[in-house]
Amino acid sequence: MPTDTMPSSDAAAPPSNGASDAPILKGSEIFVRALEEEGVDRVFGHPGGAVIKIYDAMERIQPSYDHVLVRHEQGGTHAAEGYAKATGRVGTMLATSGPGATNTVTGIADAYLDSVPIVVFTGQVPTHLIGNDSFQETDTTGVTRSITKHNFLVRDVNELASTIRQAYHIARTGRPGPVVVDLPKDVQMDEAPFAYPEEPGLDGYSVPGAAAPTQVDRAAAMIEEAEKPLLYVGGGTINADAPEVLTEFARAANLPVTTTLHGLGAFPETDDLALGWLGMHGFYHTNMAVQNADLIMAVGARFDDRVTGDVEEWAPNAKIIHVDIDPSCISKNVYADCALIGDARTVLQQLRPKVEPKDTSDWLAQIDEWRGECPPYEYESPEEDGIAPESVVEALYEKTQGDAVMVTDVGQHQMWVCQYYKFGRTRSHISSGGLGTMGFGLPAAMGAAFGMREGRNLDVVCVSGDGGFVMNAQELSVAARHGLPLKIAVINNNYLGMVRQWQSLFHEDRFSHTDLKPTNPDFVRLAEAHHCVGLRARSPDEVGDVIDEAWTVDDRPVVMEFQVPKEEMVFPMVPAGAASDDMLTEMFDKEKIAKEG
């Protein structure tokens, strides 16, 4: 994760009581006021004994920000992620000690692997009881140390305000990531002067900006020499607010663009230079372009194994330019011939005037030939009764025309959304990538919808599988309580679909414990039980009507269940550990798979 120089968790933060006329406040009141000073506009949280003083202070002070009572701390942490991804601001979560803190761990790990800026505040037992196995005590900083950009245990109320200032600064700057602040109960009750620091006071903490000029010149020369160049764009481009600069650069230089799962939306998918996404379930022509390119310029991407497959066989003919703000990512998975360490937006601005337009017509024509061999956006309708899942995603695109925030859970449906929804806006695609967290979709969509209330005013659509949806379905009540007009599409095949696909492809149809049908809920009634609208489509001719009806509801969430055959699979597919050009492009040949292992 980020290698920005960090202060020690045990180091004393600069005190926040520099002003002699500063008001004397309890720690709980300092917490409330500090979040106001930080500009927080929404806190997702769930009260408990170790944070009851903070909740009491919120009730007394009535701060300028809103609090959203979630039904489960994991859901709240994913909601903070969704808010952060949709808005570009830091998401905030507040939980109690012990089980409240441990319930946030999955969301923290998800944010860590996907570089999402969130700050998670957890209650803790009084400092004199730490280490005594006290009621609802957990070593939260120890538990989260390996999955946070940084974490703090506040032992002195005089350090509380400055620690909060540092936490938000660390979370949002450099390569973003989660920060945990553990708050013992006695610190919340102690008193201190309150003055919120103007600066974070993090001596030694620095964030790369511009890349070294010599490296920029070298990269420009490599681009000029290349005959088959390719831009490989990741989520770091969006984190750097660089999509507009990237798009201008790609068009000016006439470079084809492929994006990762988190890079979707960084470059308009409808552009002639857009190849779509790459990797395990990427398009055939995109992976073939990667394997035949002579230069790949990676921008804000980390060469994840779901992109590269067999790293020794990945892009064998290509020299690599790697633009990244995190030095630890350079040559970690794939050797970089030229490293541009810095902010992606700044680096692209440095590079733009040094790169002349290239004639890539022959290269683009070759890519078009591969596109014709295995056309994207084509699929066969199910042989038996049921809805083609790809058609649902296409119908959602037709309804929104790409003018929506698409949030997915994890599984086959996630891949279909990446393949069949044409993203044209930055921050329009929200998903769990590195951790692959089932249960992410609904609460993240809820957080994104709260973020949309702050100015963007876009529809928020959540696409989920039946397996992942039930993992955090309780958050429907929260979305209903706040009148969020979420549109939720549940692609229901009554199976853990992606696991079933692997069992069918590589385990001789031994469907071990993936069948959900016997006790899967009635999703329409489940929605209604949570004060939402429930709709169902059983056949292809009902899909459009259900979607149209869902869009007439604007005061609560709508759950749309689409019944699809369990046999449906996601193709293309690069088997785990295979080379990127060794793709399964249609229904598998079991004998070939068995022979090749």
Side-chain angles (χ1 to χ4, degrees):
M1 193 58 186
T3 57
D4 312 315
T5 304
M6 297 293 176
S8 167
S9 296
D10 297 324
S16 61
N17 57 348
S20 59
D21 58 348
I24 305 299
L25 301 179
K26 292 183 181 296
S28 58
E29 297 166 334
I30 290 174
F31 174 90
V32 174
R33 293 300 191 193
L35 265 59
E36 281 190 309
E37 292 291 331
E38 189 60 41
V40 171
D41 53 35
R42 200 165 306 277
V43 175
F44 301 94
H46 198 289
V51 289
I52 197 168
K53 295 298 182 182
I54 290 176
Y55 275 89
D56 182 67
M58 280 196 288
E59 184 65 21
R60 288 186 286 105
I61 294 173
Q62 293 292 304
S64 57
Y65 53 83
D66 294 327
H67 178 275
V68 178
L69 173 61
V70 297
R71 298 298 185 263
H72 192 284
E73 292 90 352
Q74 180 186 348
T77 313
H78 291 324
E81 287 187 272
Y83 172 88
K85 288 188 175 188
T87 64
R89 306 187 66 188
V90 180
T92 304
M93 173 62 190
L94 173 62
T96 192
S97 64
T102 58
N103 281 346
T104 68
V105 166
T106 298
I108 293 169
D110 192 272
Y112 179 76
L113 287 172
D114 288 350
S115 302
V116 185
I118 62 173
V119 176
V120 178
F121 296 99
T122 55
Q124 185 56 275
V125 300
T127 53
H128 68 278
L129 292 179
I130 292 176
N132 288 0
D133 295 332
S134 304
F135 177 67
Q136 291 194 332
E137 179 191 358
T138 300
D139 178 12
T140 303
T141 54
V143 168
T144 62
R145 184 166 288 118
S146 65
I147 54 170
T148 51
K149 187 176 178 184
H150 194 62
N151 62 23
F152 297 89
L153 171 60
V154 183
R155 294 179 177 271
D156 184 343
V157 68
N158 289 285
E159 299 171 3
L160 179 55
S162 57
T163 299
I164 292 173
R165 178 72 173 88
Q166 292 173 351
Y168 280 92
H169 182 73
I170 292 170
R172 71 165 65 92
T173 55
R175 181 178 177 183
V179 177
V180 167
V181 181
D182 205 24
L183 304 170
K185 196 168 183 179
D186 57 322
V187 172
Q188 300 172 40
M189 298 170 66
D190 290 343
E191 294 183 341
F194 172 63
Y196 199 64
E198 293 185 7
E199 299 295 332
L202 290 167
D203 294 339
Y205 175 78
S206 61
V207 176
T214 54
Q215 292 295 89
V216 174
D217 290 341
R218 184 181 178 193
M222 292 171 68
I223 295 171
E224 182 179 357
E225 294 171 2
E227 296 181 359
K228 299 178 181 180
L230 186 64
L231 278 171
Y232 154 45
V233 177
T237 309
I238 295 174
N239 287 339
D241 290 325
E244 184 177 343
V245 178
L246 171 84
T247 301
E248 179 187 347
F249 175 78
R251 289 171 175 168
N254 206 29
L255 303 178
V257 179
T258 179
T259 52
T260 67
L261 181 143
H262 288 309
L264 288 168
F267 187 80
E269 294 295 307
T270 54
D271 194 282
D272 290 341
L273 292 170
L275 305 187
W277 72 316
L278 77 167
M280 178 172 280
H281 291 290
F283 293 127
Y284 176 84
H285 66 274
T286 305
N287 283 333
M288 291 300 292
V290 168
Q291 292 300 89
N292 289 273
D294 61 4
L295 176 72
I296 293 178
M297 178 173 165
V299 184
R302 58 189 177 91
F303 298 91
D304 177 74
D305 61 285
R306 288 296 169 108
V307 164
T308 63
D310 183 352
V311 70
E312 298 297 328
E313 299 293 329
W314 191 77
N317 305 311
K319 293 182 179 179
I320 304 297
I321 300 170
H322 193 177
V323 180
D324 208 289
I325 200 167
D326 182 1
S328 73
C329 281
I330 303 297
S331 297
K332 180 170 66 176
N333 297 322
V334 172
Y335 176 75
D337 298 278
C338 178
L340 299 175
I341 300 172
D343 173 76
R345 180 183 177 89
T346 302
V347 173
L348 288 169
Q349 289 172 331
Q350 288 178 275
L351 195 56
R352 168 68 185 88
K354 297 178 179 293
V355 175
E356 298 294 329
K358 293 185 63 64
D359 180 5
T360 53
S361 56
D362 289 344
W363 174 226
L364 294 172
Q366 173 61 74
I367 295 173
D368 278 340
E369 283 187 29
W370 289 320
R371 187 183 277 113
E373 292 176 17
C374 183
Y377 315 121
E378 289 189 6
Y379 55 89
E380 294 183 2
S381 298
E383 294 182 1
E384 59 183 69
D385 292 339
I387 300 166
E390 302 94 332
S391 71
V392 176
V393 179
E394 286 187 328
L396 290 170
Y397 177 76
E398 289 300 318
K399 186 67 178 179
T400 63
Q401 290 298 298
D403 201 26
V405 176
M406 294 293 290
V407 186
T408 76
D409 209 271
V410 168
Q412 289 176 310
H413 67 276
Q414 180 186 30
M415 305 297 104
W416 285 314
V417 169
C418 292
Q419 291 177 339
Y420 289 92
Y421 195 92
K422 300 178 182 67
F423 294 92
R425 282 177 171 266
T426 185
R427 300 193 181 280
S428 62
H429 177 245
I430 297 174
S431 194
S432 171
L435 197 63
T437 306
M438 290 177 67
F440 171 89
L442 173 59
M446 181 177 73
F450 277 115
M452 291 303 97
R453 288 183 165 180
E454 312 304 330
R456 288 185 71 194
N457 193 31
L458 295 175
D459 288 330
V460 178
V461 182
C462 174
V463 183
S464 182
D466 48 317
F469 181 73
V470 298
M471 288 190 173
N472 273 311
Q474 75 282 341
E475 302 306 325
L476 281 174
S477 294
V478 183
R481 178 175 180 175
H482 291 270
L484 300 179
L486 291 174
K487 316 303 181 192
I488 303 157
V490 178
I491 309 299
N492 181 16
N493 65 357
N494 290 301
Y495 261 85
L496 298 176
M498 186 60 85
V499 184
R500 185 188 192 279
Q501 175 165 334
W502 282 60
Q503 289 173 335
S504 183
L505 287 172
F506 308 113
H507 297 88
E508 299 178 345
D509 289 338
R510 290 187 295 272
F511 302 121
S512 177
H513 300 284
T514 48
D515 187 353
L516 303 175
K517 187 173 183 178
T519 53
N520 235 357
D522 181 323
F523 289 99
V524 171
R525 295 174 67 184
L526 178 66
E528 293 170 348
H530 286 281
H531 310 283
C532 303
V533 175
L535 305 171
R536 178 181 290 118
R538 296 184 177 89
S539 62
D541 58 359
E542 295 176 334
V543 171
D545 291 340
V546 163
I547 291 175
D548 286 343
E549 184 175 352
W551 255 259
T552 67
V553 179
D554 61 5
D555 62 345
R556 72 191 77 178
V558 180
V559 176
M560 302 170 283
E561 179 193 356
F562 299 94
Q563 296 183 351
V564 305
K566 60 182 181 295
E567 293 83 7
E568 291 295 293
M569 295 193 188
V570 183
F571 292 109
M573 179 182 182
V574 178
S580 291
D581 53 0
D582 188 13
M583 287 169 276
L584 304 175
T585 58
E586 56 186 15
M587 192 55 184
F588 58 93
D589 182 334
K590 288 188 176 181
E591 292 183 1
K592 176 186 175 184
I593 291 173
K595 181 178 179 180
E596 296 181 357

